[in-house]
Amino acid sequence: NWVRALGKAIDMKPRTMVPGHGDLGGVPELQAQRAYLSDMIKQVRAGIAAGKSGDQLAESINLTSHKIGSDPDRNKNSIRAMHKRLSAR
């Protein structure tokens, strides 16, 4: 689970984190990523429970309040992917 992995990384209190893409960061960036993913998962699960499709959720969920979620088009793709992953369970 990526959210738990981020929590473990935060607990290690790294001064510098080198992501696979994006800028160098540290604990604040890890916390931002975890908050973004947690928010997305929560909203997608609620949407699945309400019978909504990935496309419907991509249009209705707004994650732009998260610094990491400032690109609405990227968010839509991520929401659709998360819907597919969580629906498969």
Side-chain angles (χ1 to χ4, degrees), residues 41-89:
I41 290 166
K42 178 182 172 185
Q43 292 190 61
V44 170
R45 282 186 175 146
I48 290 169
K52 294 189 177 183
S53 71
D55 288 334
Q56 289 172 315
L57 293 177
E59 293 302 321
S60 65
I61 294 175
N62 183 349
L63 297 169
T64 58
S65 64
H66 299 275
K67 179 182 175 185
I68 195 167
S70 62
D71 181 341
D73 290 328
R74 180 177 278 174
N75 289 338
K76 288 178 182 182
N77 289 334
S78 296
I79 290 164
R80 285 185 190 101
M82 185 64 70
H83 181 278
K84 183 176 179 180
R85 176 171 164 67
L86 295 176
S87 294
R89 292 183 172 184

Side-chain angles (χ1 to χ4, degrees), residues 18-43:
V18 182
H21 53 85
D23 298 330
L24 296 178
V27 171
E29 288 74 22
L30 292 168
Q31 290 169 328
Q33 178 72 41
R34 183 176 61 178
Y36 170 77
L37 286 174
S38 295
D39 189 14
M40 182 192 311
I41 290 166
K42 178 182 172 185
Q43 292 190 61

